[in-house]
Amino acid sequence: MSCLSTNSFSFLINGEVTGSLIPSRGLQQGCPLSPYLFLICAEGLSKLLQHEQDIDNLHGFKLIRRAPMISHLLFVDDSLLFCQADESLCLAIKRVLDTYHQASGQLINPDKSVMSFSPNTTLAAQVYFHRHLSMPISECHEKYLGLPSYFGRDKKELFSHIKERISKLMQSWNEKNFSAGGREVLLKAVVQSIPTYATSCFRLPVYFYNQLESMMANFWWGMNENGSKIHWRSWNLLCKTKGEGGMGFRSFIHFNQALLAKQAWRLVENPNSLLRKLLKSKYFPHNSFLQASVGHSPSLTWQGIRWGRELLIQGLRWKISEGRSIRSGFDPWIHGHTTFTPIQYSGPRNGVVANLITDEKQWNLSLLQQYFSPLDVEKILTMPLSYFPTRDKLIWHHHSFGKFSVDASMKNGDYLQHLSSIYNKAEMEQLFCTLWAIWTERNKVVHGKNARCAVDLALYSMVFLQNYKNAQVKTTSAVNVEASGSSHHVSPPTAAHVPWCPSDASTSITGVGAVLRDANGQVKAALSMPILRDFKSHEMEAKSLFHSLNWALQQQLPISHIETNALMVANAVKAPFSSNSEFSDLIIDVLSLLSFFPNVNVTHVKRSANNAAHGLAKFALGVDETCTWLEIIPPPIYSVIVNESLFV
């Protein structure tokens, strides 16, 4: 403890460090070192209690016989100890507390400590505990974090204090004049945050939602002498986003289910957590959490988590890695569908996804076409596979990182987004053009003109879309001619490292291009590789970098610097992040190969600095196999290299 009592403090005044102060009373609350000291001490207390339990001196609480024993729970600065009302166990707790006091110097505050006993505990046992631990005895009616520690089946009594607290606030606010913006802020920032903790633990009754929303609606529309004013819009409409014509208020029932779905997600993500072990021992000892039934005499907590699980399952799917634990025809694993299951499957009933993956970590196209429908095959081919697979994992589909999000789960969903997950780009373009043609024809009918038949209308929309695409091709060609005429103003990369430029295309045949140069800008090697895949742009960029690094590794080409125009890939490689997405797995593959190149540096450059690599990527779209060049300039980009060398 001497290092904690001899520390010194300085003060930052107007940007300058001033003075030096040695505290005479050790660390106080608010000191930056205080939280770390508390964690160290709390860990010591936990280990002492666990040691007594391991040597059979302390018997904690068991939910049921096969459940794990709980002797203590630590939450922030609160410590909850559990044991049987036995004299030897009381002495064990006394011994642990005395040892902790001697080691840390902390004392137990009896005014902030309390003991509670079950109704069948004898008076003699209670007196014995009180005499040795010097703590007051209280009945089982205390509240913890705003909720009763012990409660029965009466939900009205359990959540009545929430309604009373909100009602008092409303009454005090009604006496003041607030603008519409002021009432909006009060409802969103204050009222809707009050029941957050309760809604994250339990499923609140429907009538309770209705009462709270009725109180909020009355406050929003205002009060007059005769009572509440007219409600010009229903509360459900006000809960819609402002872009949809509402006010963006939070729906209590949807928020409640989303918070409980978050608890269910934690059980899926952390199978070794204490809560998961307790619930599994009682409600699903022989199956998984996603298959668990309500069970016999379920608690309010379990009922709420199962209700949240209903929402979680709607967006839960498997991320393919090895594919050994995923059934091809029945488990949710194909993104793009509402249920994430195949539309049609004719393969073996017990077949797994691993059978659909080749040794080169590519999809087996022949098996996919044999077992699945064309729409399923198209969706499967958009799913990238990691070259260094790990175990298969359940992820939340509606979040970019694959993690459950309360905000994302509360969105009602965009129908256009749903359609885009079913149809490809060309089909969506035709759909929009057809809808536009129908609306135009409808307007003509409204103004007295005759309507065309459906066949003629469909043919008209197809011809119109094709004419539009042809016009866009001509416009793009003119822009490319103008850009090529000014490309000589772009100076070539002259860094004293090796520029590395992977590229990608947006078609089903993706081109990968890479150019290896020395410090003088001379081409040492080049790669042009076609890939029969249609991933997302950032996933394809990561795949391109992986294939380029793999080629350089096989050719034993030294690399000290990598340049890419893929900003997301460059940032992810320089600062790896924790994610459950397929993109994160691809970045791990890239980092694995980068480990073979010591002191390599990855930087982002503009697309105009990668003209040579993009030229090879476009060349790859017209070839059937990988093309490589060593110590020569590739013919497809000869003019680009020559033009760049003129401005070195």
mmCIF file with all atom_site columns, all heavy atoms in Angstrom, residues 380-396:
data_model
loop_
_atom_site.group_PDB
_atom_site.id
_atom_site.type_symbol
_atom_site.label_atom_id
_atom_site.label_alt_id
_atom_site.label_comp_id
_atom_site.label_asym_id
_atom_site.label_entity_id
_atom_site.label_seq_id
_atom_site.pdbx_PDB_ins_code
_atom_site.Cartn_x
_atom_site.Cartn_y
_atom_site.Cartn_z
_atom_site.occupancy
_atom_site.B_iso_or_equiv
_atom_site.pdbx_formal_charge
_atom_site.auth_seq_id
_atom_site.auth_comp_id
_atom_site.auth_asym_id
_atom_site.auth_atom_id
_atom_site.pdbx_PDB_model_num
ATOM 1   N N   . ILE A 1 380 ? -25.972 -17.765 -53.048 1.00 0.00 ? 380 ILE A N   1
ATOM 2   C CA  . ILE A 1 380 ? -24.861 -18.461 -52.401 1.00 0.00 ? 380 ILE A CA  1
ATOM 3   C C   . ILE A 1 380 ? -23.525 -17.975 -52.959 1.00 0.00 ? 380 ILE A C   1
ATOM 4   O O   . ILE A 1 380 ? -22.547 -17.813 -52.217 1.00 0.00 ? 380 ILE A O   1
ATOM 5   C CB  . ILE A 1 380 ? -25.012 -19.983 -52.574 1.00 0.00 ? 380 ILE A CB  1
ATOM 6   C CG1 . ILE A 1 380 ? -26.244 -20.481 -51.793 1.00 0.00 ? 380 ILE A CG1 1
ATOM 7   C CG2 . ILE A 1 380 ? -23.768 -20.716 -52.085 1.00 0.00 ? 380 ILE A CG2 1
ATOM 8   C CD1 . ILE A 1 380 ? -26.568 -21.938 -52.045 1.00 0.00 ? 380 ILE A CD1 1
ATOM 9   N N   . LEU A 1 381 ? -23.481 -17.741 -54.268 1.00 0.00 ? 381 LEU A N   1
ATOM 10  C CA  . LEU A 1 381 ? -22.229 -17.305 -54.885 1.00 0.00 ? 381 LEU A CA  1
ATOM 11  C C   . LEU A 1 381 ? -21.803 -15.917 -54.449 1.00 0.00 ? 381 LEU A C   1
ATOM 12  O O   . LEU A 1 381 ? -20.657 -15.520 -54.686 1.00 0.00 ? 381 LEU A O   1
ATOM 13  C CB  . LEU A 1 381 ? -22.365 -17.351 -56.411 1.00 0.00 ? 381 LEU A CB  1
ATOM 14  C CG  . LEU A 1 381 ? -22.485 -18.748 -57.028 1.00 0.00 ? 381 LEU A CG  1
ATOM 15  C CD1 . LEU A 1 381 ? -22.642 -18.656 -58.530 1.00 0.00 ? 381 LEU A CD1 1
ATOM 16  C CD2 . LEU A 1 381 ? -21.291 -19.622 -56.660 1.00 0.00 ? 381 LEU A CD2 1
ATOM 17  N N   . THR A 1 382 ? -22.708 -15.159 -53.848 1.00 0.00 ? 382 THR A N   1
ATOM 18  C CA  . THR A 1 382 ? -22.341 -13.840 -53.327 1.00 0.00 ? 382 THR A CA  1
ATOM 19  C C   . THR A 1 382 ? -21.787 -13.903 -51.911 1.00 0.00 ? 382 THR A C   1
ATOM 20  O O   . THR A 1 382 ? -21.470 -12.866 -51.334 1.00 0.00 ? 382 THR A O   1
ATOM 21  C CB  . THR A 1 382 ? -23.556 -12.900 -53.342 1.00 0.00 ? 382 THR A CB  1
ATOM 22  O OG1 . THR A 1 382 ? -24.577 -13.428 -52.481 1.00 0.00 ? 382 THR A OG1 1
ATOM 23  C CG2 . THR A 1 382 ? -24.125 -12.748 -54.744 1.00 0.00 ? 382 THR A CG2 1
ATOM 24  N N   . MET A 1 383 ? -21.663 -15.099 -51.354 1.00 0.00 ? 383 MET A N   1
ATOM 25  C CA  . MET A 1 383 ? -21.166 -15.266 -49.987 1.00 0.00 ? 383 MET A CA  1
ATOM 26  C C   . MET A 1 383 ? -19.689 -15.659 -50.038 1.00 0.00 ? 383 MET A C   1
ATOM 27  O O   . MET A 1 383 ? -19.364 -16.773 -50.474 1.00 0.00 ? 383 MET A O   1
ATOM 28  C CB  . MET A 1 383 ? -21.980 -16.337 -49.249 1.00 0.00 ? 383 MET A CB  1
ATOM 29  C CG  . MET A 1 383 ? -23.457 -16.023 -49.166 1.00 0.00 ? 383 MET A CG  1
ATOM 30  S SD  . MET A 1 383 ? -24.467 -17.425 -48.620 1.00 0.00 ? 383 MET A SD  1
ATOM 31  C CE  . MET A 1 383 ? -23.765 -17.746 -47.015 1.00 0.00 ? 383 MET A CE  1
ATOM 32  N N   . PRO A 1 384 ? -18.783 -14.792 -49.623 1.00 0.00 ? 384 PRO A N   1
ATOM 33  C CA  . PRO A 1 384 ? -17.352 -15.125 -49.676 1.00 0.00 ? 384 PRO A CA  1
ATOM 34  C C   . PRO A 1 384 ? -16.976 -16.154 -48.630 1.00 0.00 ? 384 PRO A C   1
ATOM 35  O O   . PRO A 1 384 ? -17.577 -16.251 -47.562 1.00 0.00 ? 384 PRO A O   1
ATOM 36  C CB  . PRO A 1 384 ? -16.672 -13.780 -49.407 1.00 0.00 ? 384 PRO A CB  1
ATOM 37  C CG  . PRO A 1 384 ? -17.667 -13.022 -48.585 1.00 0.00 ? 384 PRO A CG  1
ATOM 38  C CD  . PRO A 1 384 ? -19.018 -13.448 -49.089 1.00 0.00 ? 384 PRO A CD  1
ATOM 39  N N   . LEU A 1 385 ? -15.964 -16.936 -48.949 1.00 0.00 ? 385 LEU A N   1
ATOM 40  C CA  . LEU A 1 385 ? -15.454 -17.963 -48.047 1.00 0.00 ? 385 LEU A CA  1
ATOM 41  C C   . LEU A 1 385 ? -14.051 -17.597 -47.586 1.00 0.00 ? 385 LEU A C   1
ATOM 42  O O   . LEU A 1 385 ? -13.232 -17.135 -48.378 1.00 0.00 ? 385 LEU A O   1
ATOM 43  C CB  . LEU A 1 385 ? -15.428 -19.326 -48.747 1.00 0.00 ? 385 LEU A CB  1
ATOM 44  C CG  . LEU A 1 385 ? -16.788 -19.896 -49.157 1.00 0.00 ? 385 LEU A CG  1
ATOM 45  C CD1 . LEU A 1 385 ? -16.589 -21.157 -49.985 1.00 0.00 ? 385 LEU A CD1 1
ATOM 46  C CD2 . LEU A 1 385 ? -17.637 -20.200 -47.938 1.00 0.00 ? 385 LEU A CD2 1
ATOM 47  N N   . SER A 1 386 ? -13.802 -17.831 -46.304 1.00 0.00 ? 386 SER A N   1
ATOM 48  C CA  . SER A 1 386 ? -12.486 -17.552 -45.745 1.00 0.00 ? 386 SER A CA  1
ATOM 49  C C   . SER A 1 386 ? -11.526 -18.670 -46.108 1.00 0.00 ? 386 SER A C   1
ATOM 50  O O   . SER A 1 386 ? -11.887 -19.853 -46.105 1.00 0.00 ? 386 SER A O   1
ATOM 51  C CB  . SER A 1 386 ? -12.577 -17.396 -44.229 1.00 0.00 ? 386 SER A CB  1
ATOM 52  O OG  . SER A 1 386 ? -11.302 -17.262 -43.649 1.00 0.00 ? 386 SER A OG  1
ATOM 53  N N   . TYR A 1 387 ? -10.275 -18.298 -46.440 1.00 0.00 ? 387 TYR A N   1
ATOM 54  C CA  . TYR A 1 387 ? -9.271  -19.289 -46.802 1.00 0.00 ? 387 TYR A CA  1
ATOM 55  C C   . TYR A 1 387 ? -8.749  -20.018 -45.565 1.00 0.00 ? 387 TYR A C   1
ATOM 56  O O   . TYR A 1 387 ? -8.300  -21.149 -45.665 1.00 0.00 ? 387 TYR A O   1
ATOM 57  C CB  . TYR A 1 387 ? -8.116  -18.614 -47.530 1.00 0.00 ? 387 TYR A CB  1
ATOM 58  C CG  . TYR A 1 387 ? -7.220  -19.581 -48.262 1.00 0.00 ? 387 TYR A CG  1
ATOM 59  C CD1 . TYR A 1 387 ? -7.591  -20.098 -49.508 1.00 0.00 ? 387 TYR A CD1 1
ATOM 60  C CD2 . TYR A 1 387 ? -6.015  -19.994 -47.718 1.00 0.00 ? 387 TYR A CD2 1
ATOM 61  C CE1 . TYR A 1 387 ? -6.781  -20.987 -50.190 1.00 0.00 ? 387 TYR A CE1 1
ATOM 62  C CE2 . TYR A 1 387 ? -5.194  -20.897 -48.395 1.00 0.00 ? 387 TYR A CE2 1
ATOM 63  C CZ  . TYR A 1 387 ? -5.577  -21.386 -49.621 1.00 0.00 ? 387 TYR A CZ  1
ATOM 64  O OH  . TYR A 1 387 ? -4.780  -22.281 -50.291 1.00 0.00 ? 387 TYR A OH  1
ATOM 65  N N   . PHE A 1 388 ? -8.803  -19.361 -44.412 1.00 0.00 ? 388 PHE A N   1
ATOM 66  C CA  . PHE A 1 388 ? -8.398  -19.974 -43.152 1.00 0.00 ? 388 PHE A CA  1
ATOM 67  C C   . PHE A 1 388 ? -9.625  -20.069 -42.249 1.00 0.00 ? 388 PHE A C   1
ATOM 68  O O   . PHE A 1 388 ? -9.810  -19.245 -41.353 1.00 0.00 ? 388 PHE A O   1
ATOM 69  C CB  . PHE A 1 388 ? -7.291  -19.173 -42.472 1.00 0.00 ? 388 PHE A CB  1
ATOM 70  C CG  . PHE A 1 388 ? -6.092  -18.954 -43.348 1.00 0.00 ? 388 PHE A CG  1
ATOM 71  C CD1 . PHE A 1 388 ? -5.842  -17.708 -43.883 1.00 0.00 ? 388 PHE A CD1 1
ATOM 72  C CD2 . PHE A 1 388 ? -5.225  -19.985 -43.630 1.00 0.00 ? 388 PHE A CD2 1
ATOM 73  C CE1 . PHE A 1 388 ? -4.739  -17.493 -44.696 1.00 0.00 ? 388 PHE A CE1 1
ATOM 74  C CE2 . PHE A 1 388 ? -4.123  -19.783 -44.428 1.00 0.00 ? 388 PHE A CE2 1
ATOM 75  C CZ  . PHE A 1 388 ? -3.875  -18.541 -44.974 1.00 0.00 ? 388 PHE A CZ  1
ATOM 76  N N   . PRO A 1 389 ? -10.506 -21.032 -42.492 1.00 0.00 ? 389 PRO A N   1
ATOM 77  C CA  . PRO A 1 389 ? -11.791 -21.056 -41.789 1.00 0.00 ? 389 PRO A CA  1
ATOM 78  C C   . PRO A 1 389 ? -11.653 -21.387 -40.313 1.00 0.00 ? 389 PRO A C   1
ATOM 79  O O   . PRO A 1 389 ? -10.736 -22.096 -39.893 1.00 0.00 ? 389 PRO A O   1
ATOM 80  C CB  . PRO A 1 389 ? -12.578 -22.139 -42.535 1.00 0.00 ? 389 PRO A CB  1
ATOM 81  C CG  . PRO A 1 389 ? -11.524 -23.045 -43.084 1.00 0.00 ? 389 PRO A CG  1
ATOM 82  C CD  . PRO A 1 389 ? -10.351 -22.158 -43.406 1.00 0.00 ? 389 PRO A CD  1
ATOM 83  N N   . THR A 1 390 ? -12.582 -20.878 -39.550 1.00 0.00 ? 390 THR A N   1
ATOM 84  C CA  . THR A 1 390 ? -12.707 -21.199 -38.133 1.00 0.00 ? 390 THR A CA  1
ATOM 85  C C   . THR A 1 390 ? -14.048 -21.907 -37.934 1.00 0.00 ? 390 THR A C   1
ATOM 86  O O   . THR A 1 390 ? -14.599 -22.471 -38.881 1.00 0.00 ? 390 THR A O   1
ATOM 87  C CB  . THR A 1 390 ? -12.616 -19.924 -37.287 1.00 0.00 ? 390 THR A CB  1
ATOM 88  O OG1 . THR A 1 390 ? -13.640 -18.988 -37.721 1.00 0.00 ? 390 THR A OG1 1
ATOM 89  C CG2 . THR A 1 390 ? -11.256 -19.270 -37.452 1.00 0.00 ? 390 THR A CG2 1
ATOM 90  N N   . ARG A 1 391 ? -14.579 -21.865 -36.752 1.00 0.00 ? 391 ARG A N   1
ATOM 91  C CA  . ARG A 1 391 ? -15.847 -22.548 -36.505 1.00 0.00 ? 391 ARG A CA  1
ATOM 92  C C   . ARG A 1 391 ? -17.007 -21.708 -37.046 1.00 0.00 ? 391 ARG A C   1
ATOM 93  O O   . ARG A 1 391 ? -16.933 -20.479 -37.116 1.00 0.00 ? 391 ARG A O   1
ATOM 94  C CB  . ARG A 1 391 ? -16.034 -22.801 -35.007 1.00 0.00 ? 391 ARG A CB  1
ATOM 95  C CG  . ARG A 1 391 ? -16.123 -21.545 -34.166 1.00 0.00 ? 391 ARG A CG  1
ATOM 96  C CD  . ARG A 1 391 ? -16.284 -21.869 -32.687 1.00 0.00 ? 391 ARG A CD  1
ATOM 97  N NE  . ARG A 1 391 ? -16.405 -20.679 -31.880 1.00 0.00 ? 391 ARG A NE  1
ATOM 98  C CZ  . ARG A 1 391 ? -17.548 -20.057 -31.640 1.00 0.00 ? 391 ARG A CZ  1
ATOM 99  N NH1 . ARG A 1 391 ? -18.672 -20.534 -32.140 1.00 0.00 ? 391 ARG A NH1 1
ATOM 100 N NH2 . ARG A 1 391 ? -17.588 -18.980 -30.870 1.00 0.00 ? 391 ARG A NH2 1
ATOM 101 N N   . ASP A 1 392 ? -18.071 -22.370 -37.430 1.00 0.00 ? 392 ASP A N   1
ATOM 102 C CA  . ASP A 1 392 ? -19.281 -21.681 -37.880 1.00 0.00 ? 392 ASP A CA  1
ATOM 103 C C   . ASP A 1 392 ? -19.904 -20.915 -36.720 1.00 0.00 ? 392 ASP A C   1
ATOM 104 O O   . ASP A 1 392 ? -19.839 -21.345 -35.562 1.00 0.00 ? 392 ASP A O   1
ATOM 105 C CB  . ASP A 1 392 ? -20.280 -22.693 -38.445 1.00 0.00 ? 392 ASP A CB  1
ATOM 106 C CG  . ASP A 1 392 ? -19.691 -23.486 -39.599 1.00 0.00 ? 392 ASP A CG  1
ATOM 107 O OD1 . ASP A 1 392 ? -19.082 -22.871 -40.484 1.00 0.00 ? 392 ASP A OD1 1
ATOM 108 O OD2 . ASP A 1 392 ? -19.843 -24.723 -39.592 1.00 0.00 ? 392 ASP A OD2 1
ATOM 109 N N   . LYS A 1 393 ? -20.528 -19.798 -37.041 1.00 0.00 ? 393 LYS A N   1
ATOM 110 C CA  . LYS A 1 393 ? -21.026 -18.921 -35.983 1.00 0.00 ? 393 LYS A CA  1
ATOM 111 C C   . LYS A 1 393 ? -22.343 -18.284 -36.398 1.00 0.00 ? 393 LYS A C   1
ATOM 112 O O   . LYS A 1 393 ? -22.539 -17.939 -37.561 1.00 0.00 ? 393 LYS A O   1
ATOM 113 C CB  . LYS A 1 393 ? -19.994 -17.830 -35.684 1.00 0.00 ? 393 LYS A CB  1
ATOM 114 C CG  . LYS A 1 393 ? -20.276 -17.009 -34.457 1.00 0.00 ? 393 LYS A CG  1
ATOM 115 C CD  . LYS A 1 393 ? -19.135 -16.056 -34.167 1.00 0.00 ? 393 LYS A CD  1
ATOM 116 C CE  . LYS A 1 393 ? -19.360 -15.308 -32.869 1.00 0.00 ? 393 LYS A CE  1
ATOM 117 N NZ  . LYS A 1 393 ? -18.237 -14.375 -32.558 1.00 0.00 ? 393 LYS A NZ  1
ATOM 118 N N   . LEU A 1 394 ? -23.236 -18.160 -35.431 1.00 0.00 ? 394 LEU A N   1
ATOM 119 C CA  . LEU A 1 394 ? -24.495 -17.455 -35.656 1.00 0.00 ? 394 LEU A CA  1
ATOM 120 C C   . LEU A 1 394 ? -24.252 -15.956 -35.569 1.00 0.00 ? 394 LEU A C   1
ATOM 121 O O   . LEU A 1 394 ? -23.606 -15.477 -34.638 1.00 0.00 ? 394 LEU A O   1
ATOM 122 C CB  . LEU A 1 394 ? -25.538 -17.872 -34.622 1.00 0.00 ? 394 LEU A CB  1
ATOM 123 C CG  . LEU A 1 394 ? -26.192 -19.239 -34.821 1.00 0.00 ? 394 LEU A CG  1
ATOM 124 C CD1 . LEU A 1 394 ? -27.006 -19.622 -33.595 1.00 0.00 ? 394 LEU A CD1 1
ATOM 125 C CD2 . LEU A 1 394 ? -27.085 -19.239 -36.059 1.00 0.00 ? 394 LEU A CD2 1
ATOM 126 N N   . ILE A 1 395 ? -24.784 -15.217 -36.545 1.00 0.00 ? 395 ILE A N   1
ATOM 127 C CA  . ILE A 1 395 ? -24.619 -13.771 -36.577 1.00 0.00 ? 395 ILE A CA  1
ATOM 128 C C   . ILE A 1 395 ? -25.976 -13.121 -36.797 1.00 0.00 ? 395 ILE A C   1
ATOM 129 O O   . ILE A 1 395 ? -26.942 -13.762 -37.225 1.00 0.00 ? 395 ILE A O   1
ATOM 130 C CB  . ILE A 1 395 ? -23.629 -13.325 -37.666 1.00 0.00 ? 395 ILE A CB  1
ATOM 131 C CG1 . ILE A 1 395 ? -24.185 -13.668 -39.057 1.00 0.00 ? 395 ILE A CG1 1
ATOM 132 C CG2 . ILE A 1 395 ? -22.270 -13.960 -37.458 1.00 0.00 ? 395 ILE A CG2 1
ATOM 133 C CD1 . ILE A 1 395 ? -23.357 -13.084 -40.181 1.00 0.00 ? 395 ILE A CD1 1
ATOM 134 N N   . TRP A 1 396 ? -26.043 -11.828 -36.493 1.00 0.00 ? 396 TRP A N   1
ATOM 135 C CA  . TRP A 1 396 ? -27.253 -11.036 -36.726 1.00 0.00 ? 396 TRP A CA  1
ATOM 136 C C   . TRP A 1 396 ? -27.122 -10.408 -38.109 1.00 0.00 ? 396 TRP A C   1
ATOM 137 O O   . TRP A 1 396 ? -26.237 -9.608  -38.370 1.00 0.00 ? 396 TRP A O   1
ATOM 138 C CB  . TRP A 1 396 ? -27.403 -9.980  -35.633 1.00 0.00 ? 396 TRP A CB  1
ATOM 139 C CG  . TRP A 1 396 ? -28.534 -9.040  -35.836 1.00 0.00 ? 396 TRP A CG  1
ATOM 140 C CD1 . TRP A 1 396 ? -28.463 -7.736  -36.229 1.00 0.00 ? 396 TRP A CD1 1
ATOM 141 C CD2 . TRP A 1 396 ? -29.927 -9.316  -35.639 1.00 0.00 ? 396 TRP A CD2 1
ATOM 142 N NE1 . TRP A 1 396 ? -29.713 -7.194  -36.293 1.00 0.00 ? 396 TRP A NE1 1
ATOM 143 C CE2 . TRP A 1 396 ? -30.629 -8.132  -35.939 1.00 0.00 ? 396 TRP A CE2 1
ATOM 144 C CE3 . TRP A 1 396 ? -30.639 -10.441 -35.251 1.00 0.00 ? 396 TRP A CE3 1
ATOM 145 C CZ2 . TRP A 1 396 ? -32.017 -8.047  -35.855 1.00 0.00 ? 396 TRP A CZ2 1
ATOM 146 C CZ3 . TRP A 1 396 ? -32.020 -10.353 -35.166 1.00 0.00 ? 396 TRP A CZ3 1
ATOM 147 C CH2 . TRP A 1 396 ? -32.681 -9.180  -35.452 1.00 0.00 ? 396 TRP A CH2 1
#
